[in-house]
Structure formats: C-alpha cells, structure tokens
C-alpha cells in the first residue's frame, strides 16, 4: 500500500527538519500557489537536488527569453502529452489554462495540440517540440528554418530546444518514480 500523501512511489522522506532555504522556498510556493508542488516535495530528500532542479526550471521557464511564459507552458504540455506524463499534464495544463484564460485551450493541448486554434508561430513551435520529443536525431536545418520563417530567432530556437529537453527529462523522472500531481491542479482555472 502506497502513502497517498507521498509525492512519489519511492521511500524518500524529506529532510527533517527542512533546511532554512527549503523552508523559505516552500513557504513562498504556499503563499503564491496555495500549495507546494509535489515535484518540489519529491526533491525534498536532498537539498542540492532540489536547488539544482529549481534553478534549471526557473531559468528555463521564468528567465529572459523571446518565448512567453504561456508559450513555454504550451511546450511543456505538448511534450508531456507525447510522453503520457500524468503529473506534467495536470500541472502544466493548469498553467496553460491560467495564462491563456482559456480552459478549452488547456484541454486541447493536453489531448491533441493539433486541434487547438494556434497561430502559425505557436503551431511551428509545438511541431518542432514534438519532433524533438519523438525523433530528435531527425531534426534538420529545414526544421529550424521553419521556426525562423514564423519569427523565431536562433536564441528562441535554443530556448524551445531546452524547454523541450527539460520536459522530456522531467516526464521520464515523474513517470519512473510514480510522481502524482497535487489534487489542486485538477480543478484550477476551469
């Protein structure tokens, strides 16, 4: 029988007591989000792992970029849909619903981004992210050129590739560890 409050199926209890930095970070999450995301709770057994994961997430998802926060969340959802990652589909589907103000868009991206009313830029971005996810060795200059033709700079293409790679890694870790999404995600922004 697994612990229904544990963030993963692994027996990795959080540090006790939580180091001051982790306590502060979790407090900020609680204040801003009304919860501590389970992906962060899952890393709470090792302060260095949490700090490394959080730093990379914050840089890719919140750092300076030609991609909007919504576009980065859209990539997270499209990649997670290909990989069937329950955790990321719940968490990032909620983020798309919030950032877009459109619950239907969030659901379309979770189910099949190709049915969503995307502009040419968004469609090319998600097509590229999905191709990287399914067959990264098949990416050619023509694929990057499609992105340039809809207005992405080479820096933007770098960011698309990195966000895509991050979610492919995160999806695999979440699936392999049985990571469960916070219940709150399921009802948010509908």
């Amino acid at each position: 029988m697994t612990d229904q409050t544990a963030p993963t199926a692994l027996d990795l209890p959080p540090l006790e007591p939580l180091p001051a930095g982790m306590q502060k970070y979790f407090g900020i999450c609680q204040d801003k989000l009304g919860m501590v995301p389970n992906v962060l709770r899952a890393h709470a057994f090792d302060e260095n792992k949490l700090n490394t994961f959080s730093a990379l997430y914050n840089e890719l998802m919140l750092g300076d970029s030609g991609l909007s926060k919504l576009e980065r969340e859209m990539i997270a959802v499209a990649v997670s849909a290909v990989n069937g990652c329950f955790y990321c589909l719940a968490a990032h589907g909620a983020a798309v619903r919030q950032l877009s103000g459109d619950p239907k868009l969030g659901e379309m991206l979770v189910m099949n981004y190709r049915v969503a009313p995307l502009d040419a830029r968004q469609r090319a971005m998600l097509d590229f992210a999905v191709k990287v996810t399914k067959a990264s060795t098949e990416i050619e200059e023509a694929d990057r050129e499609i992105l340039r033709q809809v207005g992405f700079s080479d820096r933007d293409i770098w960011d698309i590739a990195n966000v895509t790679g991050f979610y492919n890694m995160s999806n695999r870790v979440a699936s392999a560890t049985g990571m469960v999404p916070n219940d709150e995600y399921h009802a948010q922004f509908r």
Side-chain angles (χ1 to χ4, degrees), residues 54-105:
S54 297
L56 185 55
Y57 171 88
N58 289 334
E59 175 57 32
L60 292 174
M61 297 302 286
L62 305 173
D64 229 14
S65 177
L67 305 178
S68 70
K69 175 71 171 136
L70 174 59
E71 287 171 329
R72 290 179 261 189
E73 291 291 351
M74 292 169 74
I75 292 169
V77 174
V79 168
S80 299
V82 171
N83 292 326
C85 181
F86 178 49
Y87 182 93
C88 288
L89 287 170
H92 298 285
V96 167
R97 292 190 302 269
Q98 177 188 23
L99 293 169
S100 69
D102 183 356
K104 191 174 176 182
L105 175 63

Side-chain angles (χ1 to χ4, degrees), residues 104-157:
K104 191 174 176 182
L105 175 63
E107 294 304 307
M108 289 174 163
L109 294 180
V110 163
M111 301 295 182
N112 178 1
Y113 78 94
R114 291 172 187 88
V115 302
L118 305 174
D119 63 29
R121 174 185 164 96
Q122 294 166 334
R123 178 62 189 253
M125 175 187 74
L126 296 182
D127 285 345
F128 185 83
V130 166
K131 185 171 182 179
V132 169
T133 299
K134 289 181 174 181
S136 63
T137 61
E138 294 177 15
I139 296 293
E140 300 175 320
E141 184 58 27
D143 298 301
R144 291 181 288 274
E145 189 55 36
I146 290 169
L147 293 173
R148 291 182 188 108
Q149 289 173 5
V150 294
F152 288 109
S153 68
D154 281 6
R155 165 64 195 269
D156 298 335
I157 296 168

